[in-house]
Each structure stands twice: as C-alpha cells, then as structure tokens.
Amino acid sequence: MDKNKVLELVKPKLTAARFAHTERVVETALELARLYDVNQEDTILAAALHDYAKYRDVNEMANIIKEHQLPLNLLSYHHELWHGPVASILIETELSIANEAVQSAIFWHTTGSEGMTELEKVIYLADYIEPGRDFAGIETVRKKAYEHLNEACFLAVRNTIQFLAGREYLIYPETLKMYNDLKRKLEETI
Amino acid sequence: MDKNKVLELVKPKLTAARFAHTERVVETALELARLYDVNQEDTILAAALHDYAKYRDVNEMANIIKEHQLPLNLLSYHHELWHGPVASILIETELSIANEAVQSAIFWHTTGSEGMTELEKVIYLADYIEPGRDFAGIETVRKKAYEHLNEACFLAVRNTIQFLAGREYLIYPETLKMYNDLKRKLEETI
C-alpha cells in the first residue's frame, strides 16, 4: 500500500496543520518500524490514519462508543481520548480497512495500554516524538526511541502521567496500566 | 477509649522513631477529625494503629494477604503497600478490634482508594502532613488540610503520583482511582 494513497484518504478529514503532523508521524513510524522489524504496510496504515476521527463531532463519537461496544468508561474521561477508539471503528465502516493489528494501534495511540504490541508501541511513540513535537524532556525520549522501544515508551508514558498530574487532569486507567506494565518488563530485562 | 491506652498497644511493635511519628499522626488526625466532624474514638484507633504491621516480616504479610482474601494484586506491588491491609486484619485477630470503619481507614492509609470515607481521608492526610514530614510541597497541603478535606487529599495524592512517576516506581491502581475520584468530586463542587 503506497503511503501517499493512504494519506489521501485522511487528508480531507484533517486541518492542514494536523495533516502535516500526520505526515511526520508516518515518516517517524516507518523509521521505528524498520529498526524494530514491524510490518511496514501496517505501520503506514496505522500512522496515516491514527487521527482519522480527530475532528469528529463529540456527540457522534459518543454514539459510536455506545453503539460499537467500545469501553463505556471513555465517556467519563476527556473527549480527547475518544478519537483513537472511534477511528478504529470508522476506518472499517468508512474505508473498509479491517485489520485488527492496525485498528488496535489506532485505538490505543493516545491512552496507551497494557501488553502493547510492537506496532502499537511504534505508533504511540511516533505520535509522541515526531519532529514537530516540542516540550520538556522530548529530546531524551526521541534519542531513546532509536535505542530501546520499551524504555522510550516508558519514558513517554511517565512524562505523560507527570504532565497530566501537574495540570490536575484526569488520567485514564489504561495509561497507568501501560506505565506499570512497561516498568515491570524493564525490570525483568535488567 | 483513651488515646494513650491505644498507643501502648502499638508501642512494642514500632521503632522509637516510628512511634513518635504515630503519636504525631494521632494529634494531627484529632485536629482534622474535630474540624470535619469525624468520630473521635474511631480516629484515635485508626491513627494510633495505622502502622501496627509496619515491621512485620514480608513473608508473614504475604501469607496474611493470601489467607485473608486481601487483594492479591498487592503482591505484585512493593511490600511497602502491604502493611496497611495486613494491619486491618491483625488489629482484629491480635487486638480484638473489630471496627469496620477503623479497619478500612488503616487498610487504605498508604494507597488511598476510590470513594474514601471522611475517616479514611483524615487518616490518609494526617499521615501525610504530620509535623515530622518535610518534603517539597508539604506546606501547601498542610495549609489546605485545615481548609478543605477533599482538596487537601487531592493535592496529597497528586504529589504522590508525581513523586512515584518521577522515581519510576510502580503506582498502585487504587492510588490513581483516588486521584480521579477526588478530581471529579472537586469539579462537581465548582
């Protein structure tokens, strides 16, 4: 699957700035996928389409969550967390892309989760470190991303938890599960 | 129940420094209990006995967790988190104190939990702010403790999550539940 063809599918759904972010996520994800031996085609699909539902109406997203048996606890967290799960449904219903690995990577790209696949981690991390991102601590994660996938993902989710707690925002339980899960995996490998 | 009599029950189980901490937790908890109209006798029992199991052998604590149907997921977190749940059992089996409110406050004093009672919050907070405690941000929580119980507990658990994430320690899921629960309660009252 040509990456430009997939990008054309998402382009009409995004602002210009968000589309430019998406293009950078695709490039970053492909670098990581090569490094960590992750399927290139799945990487292109997941990276290009990860923000497919970013600008959907909040009520439409809430309905999709209810109708498609997505986790209902999403509804008691910020709607910023909904677009990943909702996109995992919409790429199948609207684009006929039925690919469980890709859909799962899109589903969890914002919250993270326990027991993430390599593809899920590559998309999560690419979204976090793509060259347009600029915030405290990013350089450390960016460097680590090309050295150790789990360590980099752990740093990213650790920073995210600290950021959210610092701002006194709600924290989705799966995000903590990702943090604890990776912490345990890193301890096992020492 | 005279507080000195209860303190005598726990004194042989603690180091001198830990006993002095316990005395300060009792005094702080009583101040908070008066302010927030919490039962004084329960406060004395819970505050005086909260660290009753602090120095139990780790294997003995693990056995008590298994035999008394305490949450088994405790065993995959640091044993520092075990002494509260274990003490909630031991004060009944060894001291014949069967008081659900007190036992629950002791159970959750380290991790916190969702839907905490006022007594649970008073013990959690007294343990956090007693005058012997000295760490970054403590003065803000100490001041808030005498103004708004939920806000002070939220600040304490927020700081705890930031501290644990900063040190890259595992975070017990109930601690996040306390954080999210109090955040929602505070939003409702705005």
Side-chain angles (χ1 to χ4, degrees):
Chain A
M1 172 85 71
D2 177 62
K3 70 184 174 193
N4 292 318
K5 278 195 184 159
V6 191
L7 282 165
E8 284 307 313
L9 294 173
V10 74
K11 194 171 188 175
K13 309 291 186 184
L14 302 178
T15 63
R18 179 62 48 178
F19 183 68
H21 156 75
T22 298
E23 290 181 303
R24 293 191 298 268
V25 171
V26 170
E27 293 311 314
T28 304
L30 280 171
E31 287 174 17
L32 296 174
R34 273 179 221 114
L35 192 58
Y36 297 111
D37 201 21
V38 172
N39 182 290
Q40 298 268 318
E41 187 158 332
D42 288 352
T43 301
I44 290 169
L45 285 167
L49 302 174
H50 79 284
D51 274 349
Y52 183 79
K54 187 81 178 177
Y55 299 105
R56 290 293 163 127
D57 174 77
V58 169
N59 292 322
E60 184 190 350
M61 288 201 287
N63 285 335
I64 290 168
I65 288 168
K66 290 176 207 155
E67 286 163 11
H68 288 268
Q69 285 84 48
L70 298 180
L72 286 177
N73 71 348
L74 283 166
L75 298 174
S76 47
Y77 290 85
H78 197 283
H79 56 75
E80 169 60 24
L81 304 187
W82 304 356
H83 73 283
V86 166
S88 78
I89 299 294
L90 292 181
I91 66 161
E92 183 163 351
T93 56
E94 299 185 355
L95 304 178
S96 302
I97 295 170
N99 176 326
E100 217 173 290
V102 167
Q103 289 170 283
S104 183
I106 292 174
F107 190 114
W108 299 111
H109 84 267
T110 310
T111 59
S113 75
E114 193 169 30
M116 291 169 88
T117 64
E118 302 302 90
L119 176 64
E120 286 167 8
K121 287 184 253 187
V122 160
I123 300 303
Y124 180 91
L125 198 53
D127 188 31
Y128 191 89
I129 63 159
E130 61 90 350
R133 301 290 199 194
D134 183 19
F135 43 80
I138 185 75
E139 277 310 325
T140 310
V141 185
R142 207 169 260 147
K143 184 165 176 290
K144 187 61 75 181
Y146 296 91
E147 295 167 357
H148 196 295
L149 187 58
N150 276 353
E151 280 185 28
C153 283
F154 178 73
L155 287 179
V157 69
R158 191 273 299 262
N159 289 356
T160 299
I161 288 172
Q162 290 200 297
F163 170 80
L164 294 169
R167 298 283 181 106
E168 304 190 353
Y169 293 153
L170 292 175
I171 299 172
Y172 194 60
E174 280 293 329
T175 303
L176 185 70
K177 284 188 188 173
M178 174 181 175
Y179 171 90
N180 283 331
D181 179 46
L182 288 174
K183 174 65 188 168
R184 289 205 174 94
K185 289 194 166 91
L186 293 171
E187 275 176 351
E188 280 164 13
T189 58
I190 286 167
Chain B
M1 171 86 67
D2 178 61
K3 70 184 173 194
N4 292 317
K5 279 194 185 158
V6 191
L7 283 165
E8 284 307 314
L9 294 173
V10 74
K11 195 170 187 176
K13 308 291 186 183
L14 302 179
T15 62
R18 179 61 49 178
F19 183 68
H21 156 75
T22 298
E23 288 181 305
R24 294 190 298 268
V25 171
V26 170
E27 294 312 313
T28 305
L30 280 171
E31 287 173 18
L32 296 174
R34 274 179 221 114
L35 192 59
Y36 298 112
D37 202 20
V38 172
N39 182 288
Q40 298 268 318
E41 187 159 333
D42 287 354
T43 301
I44 290 170
L45 284 167
L49 303 174
H50 79 285
D51 274 348
Y52 183 80
K54 187 81 178 178
Y55 299 106
R56 291 291 164 127
D57 174 77
V58 169
N59 292 322
E60 184 190 348
M61 288 201 287
N63 286 334
I64 290 168
I65 288 168
K66 289 176 206 155
E67 285 163 12
H68 289 267
Q69 284 84 50
L70 298 179
L72 286 177
N73 71 347
L74 283 167
L75 299 174
S76 48
Y77 290 85
H78 197 282
H79 56 75
E80 170 61 25
L81 304 187
W82 304 356
H83 73 282
V86 166
S88 78
I89 299 294
L90 291 182
I91 66 161
E92 183 164 351
T93 57
E94 298 186 354
L95 305 178
S96 302
I97 295 169
N99 176 325
E100 216 173 292
V102 168
Q103 288 169 284
S104 182
I106 292 173
F107 190 116
W108 299 112
H109 84 267
T110 310
T111 59
S113 75
E114 192 169 31
M116 291 170 90
T117 65
E118 302 303 89
L119 176 64
E120 286 167 6
K121 288 184 253 185
V122 161
I123 301 302
Y124 180 91
L125 199 54
D127 188 32
Y128 191 89
I129 64 160
E130 61 90 352
R133 300 290 199 193
D134 184 19
F135 43 80
I138 185 75
E139 277 311 325
T140 310
V141 185
R142 207 169 260 147
K143 182 165 179 288
K144 187 61 77 182
Y146 296 91
E147 296 167 357
H148 197 295
L149 188 58
N150 277 353
E151 280 185 28
C153 284
F154 177 73
L155 287 180
V157 69
R158 191 274 299 260
N159 289 356
T160 299
I161 287 171
Q162 290 200 297
F163 170 81
L164 294 169
R167 298 283 181 106
E168 305 190 352
Y169 291 154
L170 292 175
I171 300 173
Y172 194 60
E174 280 293 329
T175 302
L176 185 70
K177 284 188 187 171
M178 174 181 175
Y179 171 90
N180 282 331
D181 179 46
L182 287 174
K183 174 65 187 167
R184 289 205 174 95
K185 290 195 165 90
L186 293 170
E187 276 178 349
E188 280 165 14
T189 59
I190 286 167

